[in-house]
């Protein structure tokens, strides 16, 4: 029998979900990924060794807790080459402890598929490793037979690092923008920092997203201060909301044409009772935000609240929209009348900064300030009509404002969240984002400093059949945006992006998008954030 050359051995770990149902349902996709990956490494003369076994009692082979991850890493030689392979959403903190002390080369890998959020999970892990100062490389592939992956794998095996094409990135310091735009951005930032703002945080650290927690000192430097709130307080406040108040919110939505895919089975279908409970959560969230003077809020939901009540996603989409059901204080005064209350999904505090800055800046620029984060879920090249480009599938579980849909609330619907993730149900705010010019961004932490990547793009309209195909390939209950990022190809975005989330906001036209992107860059730079343009943003190089 041939013996395995340990010098040619790569260790593999797979971080999974915390939720048993998700790990079980997604396990088959992980088995396929690992088989393809083993074949790819084998073709290059290396053996893939799994660091943790399939658990027949749990019926999956994922690392599903931080404790398990720490114990698994005790068995991995500290200098061994290590692959973290992801076909699913994963909780980064399950493996972060071990990765921070691993001395060998680290490669994060995901399958190019929209079926489960493997790409999303890998991007979250990458952003968390960047924040933690851990050196790593990253690759992705449809079936692990393509030249891009195999050449990258060979480079990693040879050098311990993979270098990607990042020529689309231009530091803000190396360009100049029109003086009036720079003045507008810097003046806005100075006023924001001077006035100060409060970020209401309903429990930190959703789903292990280490990259989504911003240290307080970095926030304080830009004039934002956390109000640490509890999801238990949100639940308690929900219980003080009367049925009649919740019914009024629901009727307001129905009157504007929003539809609800209601059934009778609470365990598998969206029920009217669940929607009414979400309306109570919406009222409670607005009242707590008012009580504490919050300028932006984020609800975690996944830990704790998910075991008590329905999903928060419909609530988040309503908060993000300027036109929304009125909520009254005990005095009878309408709270935040005529205003959105920017909400950062999954308590992603990096997105919270972006939501607040973008909402206020766009209003000063005379444009609609509704904005949202999305998951970078997946994408494919599309050719048809006037489109011949890579079109991304941006999805988030329901926090998209109705203003992003062509018909507003009239084109929005609410579907039940997947029982795999949302045991107690609750609905989304679902729709197709309208075509138009967008500015995209991501704020993140690297080298102990806030950073920001910004670019421009287009939300495009695809034929109904293609939209449905993409929805059915991912999560059909979630809102979708078909997005083209100008001057940034698929592999460049994946190589550079430091988060599972991307932030988007509309501009009135392409020229306004470029102008607003430049002004936003100046504002963020004035706040002390290290800014980079990505792709085809119209600027003039210094010198």
């Amino acid at each position: 029998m041939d013996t395995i050359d340990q010098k040619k051995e790569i260790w593999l770990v797979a971080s999974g979900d915390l939720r048993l149902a998700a790990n079980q349902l997604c396990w088959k996709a992980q088995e396929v990924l690992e088989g393809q990956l083993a074949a790819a490494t084998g073709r290059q003369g290396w053996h893939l060794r799994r660091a943790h076994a399939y658990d027949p009692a749990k019926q999956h082979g994922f690392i599903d807790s931080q404790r398990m991850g720490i114990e698994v890493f005790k068995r991995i030689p500290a200098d061994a080459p290590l692959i973290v392979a992801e076909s699913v959403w994963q909780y980064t903190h399950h493996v972060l402890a071990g990765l921070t002390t691993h001395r060998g080369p680290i490669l994060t890998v995901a399958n190019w598929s929209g079926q489960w959020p493997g790409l999303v999970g890998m991007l979250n892990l990458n952003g968390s490793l960047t924040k933690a100062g851990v050196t790593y490389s990253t690759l992705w592939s449809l079936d692990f037979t393509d030249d891009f992956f195999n050449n990258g794998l060979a480079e990693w095996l040879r050098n311990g690092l993979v270098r990607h094409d990042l020529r689309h990135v231009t530091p803000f310091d190396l360009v100049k923008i029109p003086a009036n735009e720079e003045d507008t951005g810097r003046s806005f930032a100075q006023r924001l920092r001077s006035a100060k703002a409060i970020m209401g945080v309903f429990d930190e650290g959703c789903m292990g997203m280490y990259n989504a927690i911003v240290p307080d000192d970095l926030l304080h430097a830009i004039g934002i201060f956390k109000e640490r709130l509890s999801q238990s307080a949100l639940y308690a406040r929900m219980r003080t909301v009367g049925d009649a108040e919740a019914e009024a919110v629901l009727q307001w939505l129905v009157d504007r044409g929003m539809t609800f895919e209601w059934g009778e089975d609470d365990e598998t279908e969206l029920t009217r009772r669940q929607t009414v409970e979400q309306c109570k959560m919406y009222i409670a969230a607005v009242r707590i935000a008012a009580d504490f003077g919050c300028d932006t809020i984020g609800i975690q939901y996944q830990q704790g609240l998910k075991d008590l009540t329905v999903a928060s996603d419909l609530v988040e989409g309503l908060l993000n929209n300027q036109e929304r059901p009125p909520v009254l204080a005990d005095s009878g005064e309408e709270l935040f009348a005529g205003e959105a209350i920017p909400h950062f999904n999954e308590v992603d505090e990096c997105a919270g900064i972006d939501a607040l800055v973008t909402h206020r800046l766009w209003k000063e620029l005379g444009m609609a300030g509704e904005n949202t984060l999305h998951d970078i879920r997946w994408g494919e090249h599309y050719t048809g009509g006037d489109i011949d480009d890579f079109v991304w599938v941006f999805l988030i579980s329901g926090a998209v404002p109705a203003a992003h849909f062509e018909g507003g609330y009239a084109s929005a619907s609410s579907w039940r969240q997947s029982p795999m993730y949302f045991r107690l149900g609750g609905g989304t705010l679902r729709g197709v984002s309208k075509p138009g010019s967008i500015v995209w961004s991501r704020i993140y932490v690297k080298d102990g400093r806030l950073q920001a990547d910004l670019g421009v793009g287009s939300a495009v309209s695809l034929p109904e059949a293609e939209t449905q195909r993409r929805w059915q390939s991912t999560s059909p209950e979630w809102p979708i945006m078909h997005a083209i990022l100008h001057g940034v190809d698929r592999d460049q975005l994946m190589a550079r992006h430091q988060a599972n989330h991307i932030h988007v906001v509309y501009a009135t036209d392409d020229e306004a998008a470029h102008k607003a992107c430049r002004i936003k860059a100046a504002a963020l730079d004035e706040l002390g954030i290290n800014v980079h343009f990505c792709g085809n943003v119209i600027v003039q190089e210094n010198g």
Side-chain angles (χ1 to χ4, degrees), residues 251-315:
Q251 189 60 50
W252 188 97
L253 295 170
V254 171
D255 289 345
R256 279 151 185 79
M258 186 169 174
T259 58
F260 296 86
E261 298 295 320
W262 286 323
E264 299 297 328
D265 183 359
D266 263 327
E267 291 190 4
T268 61
E269 297 176 301
L270 179 66
T271 64
R272 194 178 189 282
R273 181 201 62 78
Q274 292 171 13
T275 302
V276 171
E277 193 165 346
Q278 287 183 298
C279 292
K280 290 184 178 182
M281 187 188 295
Y282 165 70
I283 294 169
V286 173
R287 286 175 175 166
I288 291 177
D291 287 347
F292 288 90
C294 296
D295 299 281
T296 178
I297 63 171
I299 302 168
Q300 182 185 145
Y301 184 74
Q302 290 297 347
Q303 272 86 51
L305 207 60
K306 71 176 176 62
D307 300 314
L308 291 173
T309 188
V310 291
S312 59
D313 300 280
L314 173 61
V315 177

Side-chain angles (χ1 to χ4, degrees), residues 445-502:
V445 180
K446 180 181 180 182
D447 299 329
R449 184 180 175 187
L450 283 170
Q451 316 269 343
D453 289 353
L454 292 88
V456 296
S458 300
V460 298
S461 178
L462 297 181
E464 177 64 19
E466 178 66 9
T467 294
Q468 292 300 328
R469 185 186 74 84
R470 288 173 174 241
W471 244 333
Q472 294 304 320
S473 298
T474 52
S475 297
E477 66 272 22
W478 291 6
I480 191 171
M481 174 181 276
H482 305 306
I484 296 172
L485 305 184
H486 298 169
V488 184
D489 66 28
R490 183 196 82 165
D491 296 333
Q492 286 174 326
L493 183 72
M494 291 297 298
R496 170 73 181 184
H497 207 71
Q498 296 298 317
N500 44 315
H501 293 149
I502 189 167

Side-chain angles (χ1 to χ4, degrees), residues 52-124:
H52 48 103
Y54 174 86
D55 186 328
K58 295 180 179 178
Q59 299 180 23
H60 70 79
F62 292 109
I63 296 174
D64 59 4
S65 71
Q66 184 168 223
R67 171 50 60 190
M68 179 182 176
I70 289 173
E71 297 306 316
V72 165
F73 269 85
K74 290 178 180 178
R75 302 191 292 268
I76 301 174
D79 295 315
L82 176 68
I83 291 178
V84 187
E86 297 300 336
S87 66
V88 301
W89 171 254
Q90 58 84 46
Y91 282 40
T92 288
H93 77 296
H94 291 171
V95 292
L96 186 60
L99 292 172
T100 59
T101 55
H102 189 75
R103 297 193 300 266
I106 297 168
L107 179 68
T108 65
V109 172
N111 57 332
W112 195 265
S113 170
Q115 179 188 20
W116 307 122
L119 293 166
V120 184
M122 185 189 74
L123 285 171
N124 175 259

Side-chain angles (χ1 to χ4, degrees), residues 5 10 35 103 110 145 247 352 356 390 401 411-412 463 541:
D5 181 357
I10 306 166
R103 297 193 300 266
T145 62
E247 290 284 355
L356 179 63
F390 190 88
S411 61
E541 294 185 7

Side-chain angles (χ1 to χ4, degrees), residues 362 367-368 370 404 433-438 459 481 504-508:
W362 254 238
M367 294 187 291
E370 284 100 343
H404 281 200
S433 292
K434 61 190 177 185
S437 300
I438 60 171
M481 174 181 276
V504 294
V505 62
Y506 281 89
T508 50

